Structure formats: structure tokens, C-alpha cells
Amino acid sequence: MLRSIRNIEPGSDFRKAGKFDRFGNMKSIVNSRFGIISDSKEFSPALDYLAQSNCKLANLKISNDNIIVTLKIDEFEISTSLDLLDILSVKELNYEVTKTNGEGSGTKACAAEIKSYLSSKVIGSRTVKFNLDALRTLFNNYLSLNTNAELTRTDTTIIKNLTDDIKPELEELFGHINKIFLTFTGKLISKPVIDSIANAGYINKSIELISIKTVKV
């Protein structure tokens, strides 16, 4: 359990009196030393939830007003940053997704930035099992281009071609991923984040591929 947590970086802002009154348990987690965090009563429910969701905690950073969570799901590492002061009114999550192909130094990996917009539909998703095929297809589609160039949303036609055939599957997948990240954070701070989010006015969007590229690992 300890090995799965790479970084805990408490920020001084968490210690300011009154600022995080609604996140009382977060203070005790942040002020805990690395060696006892994974055994704390506050942290265990969050880790238990990930285990039940077939995810592993790859990295956790707490700095200033933000929490950065990285989860390992099969061959993917998926990371996002959450603003703890604004978490109950979040409308979208920006993810960094990395997939490694092969092993050893110089291995080629793909990295994508994906924006997922929240809605009542995705928050209420009852999906209980990951289907990562659409994400695998996205990276395979990019690798088939045989380019080392980073593609961004300004490359409108190519980006559209990468996602058009798999967009419904990506929407369903990231609806589930949204729920995993928000529920994990809610359990970490002992607040029901998903139940508290007011999403009636959310824009009618689902996901957006912001960029995709190859990286050396």
C-alpha cells in the first residue's frame, strides 16, 4: 500500500485556520507523515474504493489548494488535478492519459490530454466494469499515422478522425472515470462530492481530445 503512493506534498495553505473548515479530515491527512497515511482511518476507505473499482493509486500530490491524483488502470496511467475549494461546482475534468508500449529504456509511449465534461448522465453512470478498448483504439489510431508530431485540437480534421468512430465508447468510459476520481476524492475528504455537485446548468458536451503525442519513457 505504501509503495503505491509516490508523492504527498502538503502545502502550507491547508494549515490556515478556517480555510478548509468543510474539509476537516483533509487537514489530518495532510498533516500526517508519509509512513502512517496509508494506515489512517481517513485514507483506508478511499483505497478500498479504488481496489473495488479495479484501480490502483499510482500517485497522490497535495499542494496548496489542489489535489493531483494519478490512477493506474491496466496499461494506462490517468491523472487529473482537482481544486479543493471549488470541487462542488466542478464542470469538467482535464485528464492526462499515458499508455506505454513495450518495456525498457527508450520505449515509445503515447500521452493524450482529454477534457471530460460532467453532466447528470455521467455522474449517475452505473457502469461497474471498465472497457478500455476505445482508449486503446485512440492510441493505436494515432500510432498508425507514423508521426512524431504532437497533434492538438487546432489540427481539427485529424483529431476528429481519431475519435469519430469511438466517441460514444469514450464518453461512456470517461463518465465512469469521472465518477471514480470524484468518488475517491470524496472519500479522501469524507465529503460526498458527487451527491453535492449541482450540475443542472452544465453545458451539453461530453469529451474533447485536446492533444496527443508520443513520448520517450
Side-chain angles (χ1 to χ4, degrees):
M1 193 175 291
L2 283 174
R3 292 177 183 173
S4 69
I5 305 169
R6 292 202 293 255
N7 293 289
I8 301 290
E9 298 179 358
S12 59
D13 284 350
F14 281 91
R15 300 185 178 89
K16 292 182 179 178
K19 188 171 185 180
F20 282 86
D21 286 346
R22 57 180 172 158
F23 300 131
N25 285 346
M26 179 61 79
K27 295 179 183 178
S28 64
I29 293 173
V30 172
N31 289 329
S32 297
R33 290 179 301 182
F34 176 83
I36 61 175
I37 271 187
S38 65
D39 295 323
S40 71
K41 291 181 180 179
E42 294 90 349
F43 202 71
S44 293
L47 289 180
D48 289 343
Y49 171 75
L50 289 184
Q52 294 167 10
S53 303
N54 298 313
C55 303
K56 294 180 181 178
L57 180 61
N59 202 357
L60 176 64
K61 292 183 180 180
I62 302 171
S63 178
N64 297 325
D65 301 339
N66 296 314
I67 180 170
I68 301 173
V69 182
T70 303
L71 300 184
K72 182 79 165 60
I73 309 171
D74 287 355
E75 71 268 38
F76 297 97
E77 282 201 355
I78 304 175
S79 176
T80 194
S81 175
L82 293 160
D83 183 345
L84 291 172
L85 290 180
D86 199 37
I87 195 169
L88 299 184
S89 58
V90 62
K91 292 181 172 60
E92 62 199 42
L93 291 173
N94 291 301
Y95 292 104
E96 292 182 6
V97 183
T98 305
K99 178 181 183 292
T100 302
N101 301 289
E103 298 179 355
S105 60
T107 298
K108 180 181 287 188
C110 284
E113 182 182 354
I114 296 175
K115 179 177 290 189
S116 178
Y117 297 88
L118 304 185
S119 69
S120 297
K121 181 179 179 180
V122 297
I123 286 297
S125 171
R126 293 184 177 274
T127 304
V128 295
K129 185 177 181 180
F130 282 107
N131 184 346
L132 298 166
D133 289 346
L135 203 51
R136 294 184 181 107
T137 299
L138 171 63
F139 285 114
N140 288 337
N141 286 347
Y142 171 71
L143 289 173
S144 70
L145 298 175
N146 293 316
T147 178
N148 290 322
E150 178 179 4
L151 301 178
T152 69
R153 54 185 168 184
T154 59
D155 302 299
T156 309
T157 301
I158 302 177
I159 289 289
K160 186 174 184 294
N161 289 339
L162 289 177
T163 58
D164 259 2
D165 292 339
I166 54 174
K167 195 165 186 180
E169 291 82 4
L170 285 174
E171 291 173 357
E172 182 177 355
L173 172 61
F174 277 90
H176 187 35
I177 290 172
N178 290 340
K179 187 171 184 178
I180 295 291
F181 273 86
L182 291 173
T183 302
F184 170 75
T185 304
K187 289 183 179 296
L188 194 63
I189 62 178
S190 296
K191 293 289 180 182
V193 173
I194 287 182
D195 293 343
S196 302
I197 289 178
N199 52 22
Y202 284 6
I203 54 180
N204 185 25
K205 290 186 179 181
S206 53
I207 63 160
E208 183 179 2
L209 177 60
I210 305 299
S211 67
I212 189 167
K213 61 184 178 181
T214 58
V215 294
K216 292 291 185 179
V217 296

